[in-house]
Amino acid sequence: MAERAILPFGDPILRKVAKPVDELTPRIIKLLDDMVETLYASDGRAGLAAPQVGVLRRVIVMDCGEGLIELINPEIVELSGEQDGVEACLSFPGYYGHVKRANEVTITSLDREGKPFMLKGEGYLARCIQHEIDHLNGVLFVDHVKDRWLYHEKTKQKIALLDVIRLTNQGS
């Protein structure tokens, strides 16, 4: 296993749609293992999608407090309810925003052995699943920020989303 670099906001790979995994090869298993190591080394965050480490495949690892979840080719089959909450992203370090998501989600996926399974989540788990699946579709949490403001994690200073995007792109 090896820790991988997480791509920062502004990297064009983050806006691309990831391709399905056609076959569970040793390379995909290594990707899962590396992503798990990267996730746990990344300051206790909840999830990581393969595009965030530069791989355009539909692979996610998550730990939203109830143990490791690995998803290969996840697809949302049902959304219901509504929740407002705070979201942040490893590709957008130092900032968070308020995002509206479904409160309950049901997905289908494959596990690392290629076996299909269904996963239902609500609350924080549902938020994490939606956030990470968005990454597979080239969508970032900043696309959903409801009031167009982000907040700096340390200072809590309110910053216009467009200003953060501009500053981040200048640093890329």
Side-chain angles (χ1 to χ4, degrees), residues 47-111:
L48 185 66
Q52 291 180 273
V53 295
V55 179
L56 287 172
R57 291 288 181 238
R58 297 186 75 78
V59 175
I60 293 170
V61 296
M62 298 180 352
D63 188 338
C64 299
E66 298 176 20
L68 180 66
I69 299 170
E70 297 176 323
L71 304 173
I72 300 169
N73 296 338
E75 296 294 333
I76 294 174
V77 294
E78 186 176 351
L79 295 168
S80 63
E82 195 173 274
Q83 62 171 304
D84 286 320
V86 171
E87 284 189 29
C89 182
L90 292 171
S91 291
F92 212 110
Y95 296 94
Y96 66 91
H98 297 275
V99 175
K100 187 179 289 191
R101 298 272 187 187
N103 192 53
E104 297 177 14
V105 63
T106 302
I107 64 166
T108 58
S109 185
L110 300 176
D111 66 16

Side-chain angles (χ1 to χ4, degrees), residues 3-158:
E3 189 176 336
R4 296 193 183 202
I6 297 172
L7 299 179
F9 182 77
D11 191 301
I13 289 175
L14 295 174
R15 290 299 192 176
K16 296 185 184 290
V17 176
K19 298 175 186 171
V21 172
D22 296 325
E23 181 182 356
L24 285 174
T25 64
R27 191 173 186 173
I28 294 296
I29 300 304
K30 170 100 169 79
L31 172 64
L32 278 167
D33 291 341
D34 290 354
M35 287 175 62
V36 169
E37 184 169 333
T38 304
L39 175 68
Y40 287 128
S42 64
D43 197 25
R45 303 300 175 141
L48 185 66
Q52 291 180 273
V53 295
V55 179
L56 287 172
R57 291 288 181 238
R58 297 186 75 78
V59 175
I60 293 170
V61 296
M62 298 180 352
D63 188 338
C64 299
E66 298 176 20
L68 180 66
I69 299 170
E70 297 176 323
L71 304 173
I72 300 169
N73 296 338
E75 296 294 333
I76 294 174
V77 294
E78 186 176 351
L79 295 168
S80 63
E82 195 173 274
Q83 62 171 304
D84 286 320
V86 171
E87 284 189 29
C89 182
L90 292 171
S91 291
F92 212 110
Y95 296 94
Y96 66 91
H98 297 275
V99 175
K100 187 179 289 191
R101 298 272 187 187
N103 192 53
E104 297 177 14
V105 63
T106 302
I107 64 166
T108 58
S109 185
L110 300 176
D111 66 16
R112 69 167 45 225
E113 283 82 39
K115 295 178 185 160
F117 69 97
M118 185 173 281
L119 176 65
K120 294 182 180 189
E122 67 178 80
Y124 184 59
L125 177 58
R127 175 175 297 282
C128 293
I129 291 168
Q130 292 167 82
H131 178 109
E132 297 308 328
I133 289 178
D134 272 356
H135 274 296
L136 303 181
N137 297 319
V139 176
L140 303 175
F141 90 100
V142 294
D143 300 329
H144 296 294
V145 171
K146 67 179 192 172
D147 58 6
R148 308 316 295 168
W149 291 96
L150 291 183
Y151 301 85
H152 192 271
E153 286 180 351
K154 291 182 181 168
T155 67
K156 307 299 185 225
Q157 180 182 2
K158 186 175 173 179

